């Protein structure tokens, strides 16, 4: 009896002495390693730590997450999945279908996630009607970032609103000896620029037909050929050292005024902000030419792991990610806007306000489309065909008609 009491007292003492484990452990696999990204994920880590949890960081460098997804596959095959993984779009469904994910429906029920998430996002987070992922944000892909200094030097007076205006501005920058377009030659970056041009040239309905529904006629159409023509134009505005360059280094070229524009999602804004720059003053943001909004939402999934400590950690993380306070702090650093619809945007900058206004307008007008390049639209295998072809186009002198035909053939083979 005495012995038992002592054991119990010891257990109580041990529990007190180890508050760090009071709220679970998570190993988090993510690809947020650039300046702005690291700052944003640092917010999540600090919030988790502050709850008494233990955060094991597993960053896999590589913008767009392709390297992270390869690492994830290897971990799962080895029977050692991380507890939480940055994952999105159809990828969530693919992993859930394999039985790899644990749902967090109890957390979602208790916190009424259905009431605070846009349905379009909630659907992506669910498998078999249950939440298997928690969304952190809404990124917009179709942005144009610019250096006011470079534009002024070249005599460009306003942000372009059509591709003709963009090309004219780029010609002026070129004449002034400034690289018109900062770009990094990596497949996902090539595909990012490509989808922005497809939306800009073809409009939202065409985008959906070609990049979401994978309609053969749309892929082979004159509109697609015209999109490749504009992509070829853009290729001519890139400096010779673009191959393999990371996206944040391209952003840095705009920061320094070495380049006029960058076409990139608003994680680029996270870089400008991390460098202490102010939108509207030190850098400019405007939607890329065209009508619509390309949506890219980041989310975390929870893999099937054993151990109470880990399962607790998953629930705490899910709840934390969806808390209004966290959604605000995180997104102020990340460049995105909150996934929750009930977080006030008063403290957010003009680019975020614009993103939010345009998101609602696009939703109402039916011009809200999911990002192909950022894995919101189609299975990874088919996306891979787009990336290969677009990158091949950018790194060769392939004609536009040939590119559209080859793309359609590749997509057909992949389906
Ligand atoms: C996107 C992701 C963003 C950003 C970007 C560059 O796919 O959604 O959060 O990190 O890649 O790495």
């Amino acid at each position: 009896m005495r012995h038992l009491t002592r054991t119990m007292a010891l257990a109580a003492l041990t529990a007190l002495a180890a508050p760090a484990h009071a709220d679970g452990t998570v190993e988090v696999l993510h690809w947020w390693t650039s300046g702005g990204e690291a700052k944003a994920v640092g917010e999540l880590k600090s919030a988790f730590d502050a709850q008494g949890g233990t955060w094991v960081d597993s960053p896999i460098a590589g913008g767009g997450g392709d390297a992270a997804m390869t690492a994830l596959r290897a971990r799962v095959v080895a029977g050692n999945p991380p507890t939480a993984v940055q994952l999105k779009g159809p990828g969530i469904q693919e992993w859930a279908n394999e039985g790899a994910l644990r749902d967090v429906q109890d957390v979602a029920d208790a916190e009424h996630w259905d009431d605070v998430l846009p349905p379009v996002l909630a659907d992506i987070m669910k498998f078999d009607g249950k939440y298997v992922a928690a969304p952190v944000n809404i990124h917009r892909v179709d942005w144009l970032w610019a250096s006011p200094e470079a534009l002024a030097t070249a005599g460009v007076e306003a942000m372009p609103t059509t591709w003709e205006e963009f090309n004219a501005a780029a010609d002026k920058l070129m004449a002034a000896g400034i690289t018109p377009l900062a770009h990094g030659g990596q497949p996902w970056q090539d595909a990012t620029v490509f989808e922005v041009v497809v939306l800009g040239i073809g409009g939202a309905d065409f985008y959906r037909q070609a990049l979401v529904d994978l309609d053969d006629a749309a892929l082979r159409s004159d509109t697609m050929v015209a999109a490749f023509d504009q992509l070829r134009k853009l290729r001519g505005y890139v400096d010779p050292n673009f191959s393999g360059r990371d996206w944040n280094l391209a952003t840095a070229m705009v920061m320094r005024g070495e380049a006029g524009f960058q076409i990139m999602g608003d994680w680029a804004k996270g870089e400008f902000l991390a460098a202490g720059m102010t939108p509207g003053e030190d850098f400019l943001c405007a939607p890329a030419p065209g009508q619509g909004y390309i949506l890219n939402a980041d989310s975390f999934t929870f893999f099937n792991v054993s151990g109470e400590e880990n399962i607790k950690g998953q629930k705490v993380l899910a709840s934390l990610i969806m808390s209004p306070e966290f959604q605000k702090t995180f997104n102020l650093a990340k460049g995105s806007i909150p996934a929750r619809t009930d977080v006030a945007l008063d403290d957010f900058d003009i680019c975020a306000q614009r993103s939010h206004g345009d998101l609602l307008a696009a939703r109402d007008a039916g011009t809200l489309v999911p990002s192909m390049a950022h894995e919101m639209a189609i299975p990874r295998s088919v996306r891979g065909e787009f990336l290969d072809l677009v990158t091949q186009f950018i790194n060769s002198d392939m004609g536009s008609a040939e590119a559209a035909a080859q793309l359609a053939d590749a997509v057909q083979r992949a389906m």
Side-chain angles (χ1 to χ4, degrees):
M1 185 67 195
R2 237 184 114 183
H3 175 70
L4 196 64
T5 322
R6 234 166 94 208
T7 314
M8 280 161 69
L10 259 180
L13 266 180
T14 317
L16 278 177
H21 294 283
D23 261 330
T25 297
V26 279
E27 187 207 344
V28 185
L29 188 141
H30 64 89
W31 65 88
W32 286 333
T33 56
S34 77
E37 289 175 333
K39 221 174 149 201
V41 77
E43 298 286 355
L44 185 55
K45 179 185 181 305
S46 318
F48 191 77
D49 287 349
Q51 300 224 357
T54 304
W55 172 287
V56 181
D57 207 33
S58 287
I60 310 280
D66 288 301
M69 291 303 102
T70 307
L72 171 63
R73 175 64 60 190
R75 288 281 303 266
V76 174
V77 168
N80 176 31
T83 40
V85 177
Q86 186 190 350
L87 202 69
K88 50 195 183 179
I92 297 172
Q93 309 299 319
E94 285 170 29
W95 281 109
N97 221 355
E98 288 188 27
L101 303 186
R102 182 190 308 282
D103 74 76
V104 285
Q105 189 58 34
D106 50 348
V107 182
D109 279 339
E111 297 177 356
H112 310 289
W113 290 9
D114 273 343
D115 298 342
V116 294
L117 287 176
V120 60
L121 221 55
D123 287 351
I124 299 172
M125 305 297 135
K126 289 180 187 174
F127 179 76
D128 262 352
K130 289 185 178 156
Y131 280 94
V132 291
V136 274
N137 64 3
I138 293 176
H139 270 304
R140 181 182 198 170
V141 179
D142 51 319
W143 279 113
L144 214 52
W145 307 95
S147 154
E149 196 189 309
L151 297 196
T153 307
V156 177
E157 273 153 25
M159 288 294 264
T161 57
T162 63
W163 289 105
E164 292 72 43
E165 280 177 22
F166 180 90
N167 296 341
D171 288 339
K172 284 187 181 172
L173 285 156
M174 191 100 107
I178 299 169
T179 299
L181 185 64
H183 180 64
Q186 296 173 345
W188 74 272
Q189 291 188 63
D190 296 340
T192 298
V193 173
F194 167 74
E195 71 179 16
V196 170
V197 170
V198 167
L199 175 71
I201 298 278
D205 286 343
F206 176 75
Y207 179 105
R208 221 174 271 126
Q209 285 160 17
L211 304 194
V212 183
D213 300 339
L214 305 172
D215 177 69
D216 191 64
L219 290 166
R220 291 180 199 280
S221 68
D222 291 348
T223 310
M224 186 54 85
V225 174
F228 275 111
D229 281 345
Q230 178 59 34
L231 193 61
R232 177 64 69 215
K233 260 319 249 179
L234 293 180
R235 171 67 182 85
Y237 294 137
V238 168
D239 71 305
N241 301 321
F242 78 108
S243 283
R245 174 188 289 140
D246 286 329
W247 65 274
N248 51 319
L249 299 184
T251 309
M253 291 169 68
V254 178
M255 284 184 198
R256 292 192 296 265
E258 284 169 26
F261 298 106
Q262 182 181 18
I263 296 169
M264 186 50 67
D266 40 22
W267 44 94
K269 195 185 74 186
E271 296 302 300
F272 288 109
L273 299 181
M277 299 174 86
T278 307
E281 290 172 23
D282 309 317
F283 69 97
L284 306 176
C285 65
Q291 296 298 319
Y293 187 111
I294 305 180
L295 176 88
N296 171 28
D298 288 306
S299 42
F300 282 90
T301 49
F302 309 96
F303 274 65
N304 271 322
V305 288
S306 54
E308 250 174 64
E309 174 79 3
N310 293 329
I311 296 166
K312 179 89 194 287
Q314 291 178 322
K315 293 187 181 192
V316 172
L317 188 67
S319 167
L320 194 60
I321 283 174
M322 276 294 287
S323 74
E325 302 73 30
F326 169 73
Q327 293 246 328
K328 180 174 170 184
T329 335
F330 175 86
N331 286 297
L332 281 172
K334 188 68 170 70
S336 34
I337 56 175
R340 284 182 76 112
T341 51
D342 60 347
V343 177
L345 294 180
D346 304 340
D347 295 336
F348 283 74
D349 61 36
I350 47 170
C351 313
Q353 309 271 358
R354 179 77 201 253
S355 174
H356 184 245
D358 287 358
L359 174 69
L360 299 183
R363 181 201 60 192
D364 294 345
T367 56
L368 179 61
V369 293
S371 170
M372 176 277 293
H374 294 275
E375 307 204 40
M376 297 294 293
I378 51 176
R380 222 177 137 63
S381 52
V382 189
R383 167 186 173 268
E385 298 295 340
F386 276 92
L387 266 60
D388 285 352
L389 191 280
V390 170
T391 292
Q392 203 191 330
F393 177 81
I394 285 184
N395 292 292
S396 69
D397 57 4
M398 187 188 287
S400 299
E402 174 69 15
Q406 282 204 27
L407 178 62
D409 290 347
V411 167
Q412 240 177 31
R413 280 196 305 271
M415 275 170 37

